[in-house]
Amino acid sequence: MRAARLIKMVLLLQSRPAMTAAELARELQVSERTVTRDAQALSEAGVPVYADRGRAGGYRLVGGYRTRLTGLARSEAEALFLSGVPGALRQMGLGDAHSAARLKVSAALLPSLRDAPDSAAQRFHLDAPAWFREPETPALLPAVAEAVWEDRRVSARYRRGETEVERVLEPYGLVLKAGVWYLCARVADGGSCRTEDGPFRTYRIDRFGAVEPLEERFARDPDFDLPGHWAAQAERFARSILRAEVVVRLSPEGARMLRYAVDPLSAREALSGPVKPDGAGWVTVTLPVESEEVAHAQLTTLGAEAEVLAPRSLRERFAADAARLAALYGGPRPHGRTDAGSHTG
């Protein structure tokens, strides 16, 4: 533990002109007294650490000293490739590996390039969760992530509706989608668990009731493609929920706004066919939807830019909405309010 800390201290001093005891203590997560002892130990071992006294003092390396202890460990190299998602790394338990990898790369850079990591960080930031929701890190995520990195089988209990199933899984990869973590895994016992993707299935991490790493490791299928698997799963899921159809007439503005009101796949399929505008520029399309209730909620956002033609029941719902709106806004103003909105005496 101390050896790793001493190496990190040397790399920190190598990547910066000088650091105060307080700065080193914060980076190393130790006390300033421990920093003093570590600096003395490095000096006794032949590392030229020089201490500047006084209020503006600190520690620095003398004579352009450079250590060759910059080789990346495997976990550090893997974490470095995920450096665009630091929040996800912390949630998976890889924060320390990522920090060490960045430090080693910074120490290996020329002095003129050492601000590159900070410069990049100020120009790009990935905020994965969706708006208006407070993302929660699943308690079992670090254990699942460790099994993914180690190609280790796990025994898992998973909630499916009101029931709970138990499976032995071979965890292949993790996906973070809009703040929700998913595991793509191969069912070890296969058989009845096969899907369109063969033995591979996708699980929400927050629905795991228990995950127990097993001793045996598994051999990864070299043909498995995590991005490709996820893309196919996502499109298949989107198509599976579009079980109904609505015929709708759209103004030019309604056609433009359709992809913001409904599922993008639904909008794309509706507008991809040969649609010919009428004399007013409106187009009539067949829109795949999840249900009549969902279509009602989604198409309401388009207001007067969309006219439902079928089914009749949905058209009648919009006619009832229009009548209610006319009653609300077609009558006199609320009692006691003037044009300026002030109260009368």
mmCIF file of all heavy atoms in Angstrom, residues 247-283:
data_model
loop_
_atom_site.group_PDB
_atom_site.id
_atom_site.type_symbol
_atom_site.label_atom_id
_atom_site.label_comp_id
_atom_site.label_asym_id
_atom_site.label_seq_id
_atom_site.Cartn_x
_atom_site.Cartn_y
_atom_site.Cartn_z
ATOM 1 N N VAL A 247 -54.133 6.581 -38.195
ATOM 2 C CA VAL A 247 -54.057 7.370 -39.433
ATOM 3 C C VAL A 247 -54.228 8.828 -39.037
ATOM 4 O O VAL A 247 -55.229 9.216 -38.417
ATOM 5 C CB VAL A 247 -55.139 6.955 -40.437
ATOM 6 C CG1 VAL A 247 -55.038 7.810 -41.707
ATOM 7 C CG2 VAL A 247 -55.005 5.479 -40.787
ATOM 8 N N VAL A 248 -53.225 9.639 -39.391
ATOM 9 C CA VAL A 248 -53.231 11.033 -38.943
ATOM 10 C C VAL A 248 -52.839 11.943 -40.102
ATOM 11 O O VAL A 248 -52.005 11.601 -40.936
ATOM 12 C CB VAL A 248 -52.267 11.221 -37.742
ATOM 13 C CG1 VAL A 248 -50.860 10.836 -38.102
ATOM 14 C CG2 VAL A 248 -52.328 12.640 -37.200
ATOM 15 N N ARG A 249 -53.478 13.085 -40.138
ATOM 16 C CA ARG A 249 -53.200 14.110 -41.150
ATOM 17 C C ARG A 249 -52.377 15.204 -40.487
ATOM 18 O O ARG A 249 -52.736 15.708 -39.422
ATOM 19 C CB ARG A 249 -54.518 14.662 -41.688
ATOM 20 C CG ARG A 249 -54.403 15.675 -42.811
ATOM 21 C CD ARG A 249 -55.779 15.906 -43.445
ATOM 22 N NE ARG A 249 -55.756 17.036 -44.375
ATOM 23 C CZ ARG A 249 -56.174 18.262 -44.078
ATOM 24 N NH1 ARG A 249 -56.660 18.515 -42.852
ATOM 25 N NH2 ARG A 249 -56.105 19.221 -44.978
ATOM 26 N N LEU A 250 -51.247 15.550 -41.113
ATOM 27 C CA LEU A 250 -50.282 16.464 -40.499
ATOM 28 C C LEU A 250 -50.054 17.690 -41.360
ATOM 29 O O LEU A 250 -49.898 17.591 -42.590
ATOM 30 C CB LEU A 250 -48.938 15.760 -40.297
ATOM 31 C CG LEU A 250 -48.932 14.510 -39.410
ATOM 32 C CD1 LEU A 250 -47.611 13.763 -39.582
ATOM 33 C CD2 LEU A 250 -49.149 14.897 -37.959
ATOM 34 N N SER A 251 -50.022 18.848 -40.712
ATOM 35 C CA SER A 251 -49.620 20.069 -41.403
ATOM 36 C C SER A 251 -48.115 20.006 -41.646
ATOM 37 O O SER A 251 -47.419 19.146 -41.089
ATOM 38 C CB SER A 251 -49.955 21.285 -40.542
ATOM 39 O OG SER A 251 -49.073 21.337 -39.411
ATOM 40 N N PRO A 252 -47.552 20.888 -42.457
ATOM 41 C CA PRO A 252 -46.095 20.897 -42.620
ATOM 42 C C PRO A 252 -45.361 21.017 -41.295
ATOM 43 O O PRO A 252 -44.357 20.345 -41.063
ATOM 44 C CB PRO A 252 -45.851 22.118 -43.525
ATOM 45 C CG PRO A 252 -47.120 22.243 -44.313
ATOM 46 C CD PRO A 252 -48.213 21.847 -43.375
ATOM 47 N N GLU A 253 -45.868 21.854 -40.394
ATOM 48 C CA GLU A 253 -45.247 21.988 -39.076
ATOM 49 C C GLU A 253 -45.445 20.717 -38.255
ATOM 50 O O GLU A 253 -44.543 20.281 -37.528
ATOM 51 C CB GLU A 253 -45.838 23.191 -38.331
ATOM 52 C CG GLU A 253 -45.302 23.397 -36.918
ATOM 53 C CD GLU A 253 -43.822 23.756 -36.882
ATOM 54 O OE1 GLU A 253 -43.244 24.031 -37.959
ATOM 55 O OE2 GLU A 253 -43.252 23.775 -35.769
ATOM 56 N N GLY A 254 -46.617 20.101 -38.368
ATOM 57 C CA GLY A 254 -46.868 18.858 -37.653
ATOM 58 C C GLY A 254 -45.950 17.738 -38.111
ATOM 59 O O GLY A 254 -45.459 16.954 -37.285
ATOM 60 N N ALA A 255 -45.713 17.662 -39.428
ATOM 61 C CA ALA A 255 -44.794 16.641 -39.954
ATOM 62 C C ALA A 255 -43.381 16.879 -39.445
ATOM 63 O O ALA A 255 -42.642 15.939 -39.129
ATOM 64 C CB ALA A 255 -44.828 16.647 -41.480
ATOM 65 N N ARG A 256 -43.001 18.152 -39.350
ATOM 66 C CA ARG A 256 -41.658 18.466 -38.864
ATOM 67 C C ARG A 256 -41.500 18.132 -37.387
ATOM 68 O O ARG A 256 -40.452 17.663 -36.948
ATOM 69 C CB ARG A 256 -41.367 19.958 -39.097
ATOM 70 C CG ARG A 256 -39.939 20.362 -38.787
ATOM 71 C CD ARG A 256 -39.740 21.857 -38.949
ATOM 72 N NE ARG A 256 -40.385 22.597 -37.880
ATOM 73 C CZ ARG A 256 -39.838 22.796 -36.676
ATOM 74 N NH1 ARG A 256 -38.652 22.279 -36.382
ATOM 75 N NH2 ARG A 256 -40.477 23.491 -35.756
ATOM 76 N N MET A 257 -42.554 18.341 -36.601
ATOM 77 C CA MET A 257 -42.486 18.138 -35.162
ATOM 78 C C MET A 257 -42.833 16.714 -34.734
ATOM 79 O O MET A 257 -42.721 16.388 -33.556
ATOM 80 C CB MET A 257 -43.435 19.111 -34.462
ATOM 81 C CG MET A 257 -43.055 20.581 -34.628
ATOM 82 S SD MET A 257 -41.434 20.944 -33.898
ATOM 83 C CE MET A 257 -41.767 20.602 -32.167
ATOM 84 N N LEU A 258 -43.244 15.866 -35.669
ATOM 85 C CA LEU A 258 -43.710 14.530 -35.305
ATOM 86 C C LEU A 258 -42.640 13.740 -34.558
ATOM 87 O O LEU A 258 -42.939 13.055 -33.571
ATOM 88 C CB LEU A 258 -44.140 13.771 -36.561
ATOM 89 C CG LEU A 258 -44.739 12.379 -36.305
ATOM 90 C CD1 LEU A 258 -46.053 12.503 -35.527
ATOM 91 C CD2 LEU A 258 -44.976 11.639 -37.630
ATOM 92 N N ARG A 259 -41.388 13.830 -34.975
ATOM 93 C CA ARG A 259 -40.339 13.020 -34.345
ATOM 94 C C ARG A 259 -40.062 13.449 -32.909
ATOM 95 O O ARG A 259 -39.453 12.709 -32.147
ATOM 96 C CB ARG A 259 -39.043 13.088 -35.166
ATOM 97 C CG ARG A 259 -38.426 14.467 -35.278
ATOM 98 C CD ARG A 259 -37.344 14.476 -36.345
ATOM 99 N NE ARG A 259 -36.725 15.776 -36.509
ATOM 100 C CZ ARG A 259 -35.541 16.107 -36.006
ATOM 101 N NH1 ARG A 259 -34.854 15.221 -35.300
ATOM 102 N NH2 ARG A 259 -35.039 17.299 -36.207
ATOM 103 N N TYR A 260 -40.495 14.653 -32.539
ATOM 104 C CA TYR A 260 -40.334 15.094 -31.152
ATOM 105 C C TYR A 260 -41.527 14.669 -30.292
ATOM 106 O O TYR A 260 -41.434 14.665 -29.067
ATOM 107 C CB TYR A 260 -40.177 16.609 -31.083
ATOM 108 C CG TYR A 260 -38.999 17.132 -31.866
ATOM 109 C CD1 TYR A 260 -39.184 17.851 -33.045
ATOM 110 C CD2 TYR A 260 -37.694 16.893 -31.449
ATOM 111 C CE1 TYR A 260 -38.108 18.327 -33.774
ATOM 112 C CE2 TYR A 260 -36.604 17.366 -32.173
ATOM 113 C CZ TYR A 260 -36.824 18.078 -33.337
ATOM 114 O OH TYR A 260 -35.747 18.539 -34.050
ATOM 115 N N ALA A 261 -42.647 14.350 -30.937
ATOM 116 C CA ALA A 261 -43.865 14.019 -30.195
ATOM 117 C C ALA A 261 -44.011 12.517 -29.950
ATOM 118 O O ALA A 261 -44.550 12.104 -28.925
ATOM 119 C CB ALA A 261 -45.090 14.534 -30.951
ATOM 120 N N VAL A 262 -43.542 11.697 -30.904
ATOM 121 C CA VAL A 262 -43.708 10.248 -30.785
ATOM 122 C C VAL A 262 -42.336 9.579 -30.807
ATOM 123 O O VAL A 262 -41.303 10.241 -30.953
ATOM 124 C CB VAL A 262 -44.586 9.704 -31.934
ATOM 125 C CG1 VAL A 262 -45.939 10.391 -31.947
ATOM 126 C CG2 VAL A 262 -43.900 9.863 -33.292
ATOM 127 N N ASP A 263 -42.338 8.257 -30.681
ATOM 128 C CA ASP A 263 -41.092 7.506 -30.749
ATOM 129 C C ASP A 263 -40.408 7.765 -32.091
ATOM 130 O O ASP A 263 -41.070 7.745 -33.143
ATOM 131 C CB ASP A 263 -41.385 6.006 -30.590
ATOM 132 C CG ASP A 263 -40.118 5.166 -30.593
ATOM 133 O OD1 ASP A 263 -39.550 4.970 -29.508
ATOM 134 O OD2 ASP A 263 -39.706 4.739 -31.686
ATOM 135 N N PRO A 264 -39.094 8.021 -32.105
ATOM 136 C CA PRO A 264 -38.400 8.303 -33.364
ATOM 137 C C PRO A 264 -38.591 7.216 -34.422
ATOM 138 O O PRO A 264 -38.724 7.520 -35.614
ATOM 139 C CB PRO A 264 -36.931 8.422 -32.940
ATOM 140 C CG PRO A 264 -36.990 8.843 -31.510
ATOM 141 C CD PRO A 264 -38.200 8.160 -30.942
ATOM 142 N N LEU A 265 -38.587 5.939 -34.000
ATOM 143 C CA LEU A 265 -38.801 4.852 -34.955
ATOM 144 C C LEU A 265 -40.191 4.945 -35.569
ATOM 145 O O LEU A 265 -40.363 4.761 -36.782
ATOM 146 C CB LEU A 265 -38.620 3.504 -34.256
ATOM 147 C CG LEU A 265 -38.920 2.252 -35.096
ATOM 148 C CD1 LEU A 265 -37.963 2.163 -36.272
ATOM 149 C CD2 LEU A 265 -38.839 0.993 -34.240
ATOM 150 N N SER A 266 -41.189 5.259 -34.749
ATOM 151 C CA SER A 266 -42.558 5.405 -35.239
ATOM 152 C C SER A 266 -42.664 6.536 -36.258
ATOM 153 O O SER A 266 -43.268 6.380 -37.326
ATOM 154 C CB SER A 266 -43.496 5.663 -34.057
ATOM 155 O OG SER A 266 -44.815 5.866 -34.495
ATOM 156 N N ALA A 267 -42.065 7.684 -35.929
ATOM 157 C CA ALA A 267 -42.100 8.826 -36.847
ATOM 158 C C ALA A 267 -41.367 8.504 -38.147
ATOM 159 O O ALA A 267 -41.832 8.860 -39.240
ATOM 160 C CB ALA A 267 -41.477 10.043 -36.173
ATOM 161 N N ARG A 268 -40.242 7.833 -38.035
ATOM 162 C CA ARG A 268 -39.455 7.504 -39.227
ATOM 163 C C ARG A 268 -40.232 6.581 -40.164
ATOM 164 O O ARG A 268 -40.234 6.776 -41.387
ATOM 165 C CB ARG A 268 -38.137 6.859 -38.801
ATOM 166 C CG ARG A 268 -37.135 6.690 -39.925
ATOM 167 C CD ARG A 268 -35.751 6.406 -39.408
ATOM 168 N NE ARG A 268 -35.683 5.166 -38.641
ATOM 169 C CZ ARG A 268 -35.434 5.118 -37.341
ATOM 170 N NH1 ARG A 268 -35.272 6.235 -36.657
ATOM 171 N NH2 ARG A 268 -35.375 3.953 -36.710
ATOM 172 N N GLU A 269 -40.911 5.576 -39.600
ATOM 173 C CA GLU A 269 -41.668 4.650 -40.438
ATOM 174 C C GLU A 269 -42.880 5.339 -41.062
ATOM 175 O O GLU A 269 -43.231 5.063 -42.213
ATOM 176 C CB GLU A 269 -42.100 3.446 -39.613
ATOM 177 C CG GLU A 269 -40.938 2.551 -39.201
ATOM 178 C CD GLU A 269 -41.395 1.165 -38.792
ATOM 179 O OE1 GLU A 269 -42.617 0.928 -38.753
ATOM 180 O OE2 GLU A 269 -40.516 0.320 -38.525
ATOM 181 N N ALA A 270 -43.509 6.248 -40.316
ATOM 182 C CA ALA A 270 -44.688 6.933 -40.839
ATOM 183 C C ALA A 270 -44.345 7.833 -42.019
ATOM 184 O O ALA A 270 -45.106 7.924 -42.993
ATOM 185 C CB ALA A 270 -45.353 7.740 -39.740
ATOM 186 N N LEU A 271 -43.194 8.497 -41.933
ATOM 187 C CA LEU A 271 -42.832 9.479 -42.958
ATOM 188 C C LEU A 271 -41.928 8.922 -44.047
ATOM 189 O O LEU A 271 -41.585 9.639 -44.995
ATOM 190 C CB LEU A 271 -42.142 10.680 -42.296
ATOM 191 C CG LEU A 271 -43.000 11.468 -41.294
ATOM 192 C CD1 LEU A 271 -42.161 12.512 -40.580
ATOM 193 C CD2 LEU A 271 -44.185 12.119 -41.993
ATOM 194 N N SER A 272 -41.530 7.644 -43.923
ATOM 195 C CA SER A 272 -40.583 7.089 -44.904
ATOM 196 C C SER A 272 -41.264 6.661 -46.196
ATOM 197 O O SER A 272 -40.619 6.542 -47.232
ATOM 198 C CB SER A 272 -39.853 5.886 -44.299
ATOM 199 O OG SER A 272 -40.775 4.848 -43.973
ATOM 200 N N GLY A 273 -42.579 6.413 -46.151
ATOM 201 C CA GLY A 273 -43.284 5.970 -47.349
ATOM 202 C C GLY A 273 -43.572 7.127 -48.295
ATOM 203 O O GLY A 273 -43.265 8.292 -48.012
ATOM 204 N N PRO A 274 -44.185 6.814 -49.430
ATOM 205 C CA PRO A 274 -44.534 7.870 -50.401
ATOM 206 C C PRO A 274 -45.723 8.689 -49.900
ATOM 207 O O PRO A 274 -46.874 8.235 -49.944
ATOM 208 C CB PRO A 274 -44.895 7.075 -51.671
ATOM 209 C CG PRO A 274 -45.321 5.728 -51.173
ATOM 210 C CD PRO A 274 -44.539 5.471 -49.925
ATOM 211 N N VAL A 275 -45.445 9.843 -49.343
ATOM 212 C CA VAL A 275 -46.500 10.725 -48.846
ATOM 213 C C VAL A 275 -46.585 11.952 -49.746
ATOM 214 O O VAL A 275 -45.589 12.638 -49.986
ATOM 215 C CB VAL A 275 -46.228 11.151 -47.385
ATOM 216 C CG1 VAL A 275 -46.445 9.971 -46.453
ATOM 217 C CG2 VAL A 275 -44.812 11.683 -47.208
ATOM 218 N N LYS A 276 -47.781 12.218 -50.264
ATOM 219 C CA LYS A 276 -47.986 13.344 -51.186
ATOM 220 C C LYS A 276 -48.826 14.410 -50.503
ATOM 221 O O LYS A 276 -49.961 14.150 -50.094
ATOM 222 C CB LYS A 276 -48.678 12.862 -52.466
ATOM 223 C CG LYS A 276 -48.831 13.953 -53.513
ATOM 224 C CD LYS A 276 -49.471 13.396 -54.772
ATOM 225 C CE LYS A 276 -49.622 14.487 -55.829
ATOM 226 N NZ LYS A 276 -50.255 13.955 -57.069
ATOM 227 N N PRO A 277 -48.286 15.621 -50.363
ATOM 228 C CA PRO A 277 -49.046 16.703 -49.712
ATOM 229 C C PRO A 277 -50.303 17.045 -50.508
ATOM 230 O O PRO A 277 -50.325 16.962 -51.748
ATOM 231 C CB PRO A 277 -48.059 17.875 -49.693
ATOM 232 C CG PRO A 277 -46.711 17.249 -49.874
ATOM 233 C CD PRO A 277 -46.927 16.046 -50.724
ATOM 234 N N ASP A 278 -51.383 17.429 -49.791
ATOM 235 C CA ASP A 278 -52.588 17.889 -50.472
ATOM 236 C C ASP A 278 -52.434 19.354 -50.839
ATOM 237 O O ASP A 278 -51.335 19.937 -50.706
ATOM 238 C CB ASP A 278 -53.824 17.636 -49.595
ATOM 239 C CG ASP A 278 -53.752 18.389 -48.261
ATOM 240 O OD1 ASP A 278 -52.960 19.346 -48.158
ATOM 241 O OD2 ASP A 278 -54.498 18.024 -47.324
ATOM 242 N N GLY A 279 -53.519 19.973 -51.280
ATOM 243 C CA GLY A 279 -53.445 21.355 -51.739
ATOM 244 C C GLY A 279 -53.009 22.318 -50.662
ATOM 245 O O GLY A 279 -52.411 23.371 -50.959
ATOM 246 N N ALA A 280 -53.262 21.995 -49.392
ATOM 247 C CA ALA A 280 -52.865 22.866 -48.282
ATOM 248 C C ALA A 280 -51.493 22.505 -47.724
ATOM 249 O O ALA A 280 -51.042 23.118 -46.751
ATOM 250 C CB ALA A 280 -53.912 22.793 -47.174
ATOM 251 N N GLY A 281 -50.839 21.502 -48.316
ATOM 252 C CA GLY A 281 -49.512 21.093 -47.848
ATOM 253 C C GLY A 281 -49.551 20.046 -46.752
ATOM 254 O O GLY A 281 -48.502 19.668 -46.225
ATOM 255 N N TRP A 282 -50.737 19.551 -46.383
ATOM 256 C CA TRP A 282 -50.863 18.537 -45.339
ATOM 257 C C TRP A 282 -50.625 17.154 -45.942
ATOM 258 O O TRP A 282 -50.915 16.910 -47.118
ATOM 259 C CB TRP A 282 -52.251 18.580 -44.706
ATOM 260 C CG TRP A 282 -52.471 19.803 -43.832
ATOM 261 C CD1 TRP A 282 -52.308 21.114 -44.194
ATOM 262 C CD2 TRP A 282 -52.919 19.807 -42.478
ATOM 263 N NE1 TRP A 282 -52.604 21.937 -43.144
ATOM 264 C CE2 TRP A 282 -52.995 21.166 -42.073
ATOM 265 C CE3 TRP A 282 -53.269 18.831 -41.566
ATOM 266 C CZ2 TRP A 282 -53.402 21.548 -40.799
ATOM 267 C CZ3 TRP A 282 -53.684 19.200 -40.292
ATOM 268 C CH2 TRP A 282 -53.734 20.548 -39.912
ATOM 269 N N VAL A 283 -50.103 16.237 -45.115
ATOM 270 C CA VAL A 283 -49.876 14.859 -45.555
ATOM 271 C C VAL A 283 -50.631 13.914 -44.629
ATOM 272 O O VAL A 283 -50.818 14.189 -43.442
ATOM 273 C CB VAL A 283 -48.371 14.494 -45.552
ATOM 274 C CG1 VAL A 283 -47.604 15.326 -46.564
ATOM 275 C CG2 VAL A 283 -47.770 14.653 -44.161
#
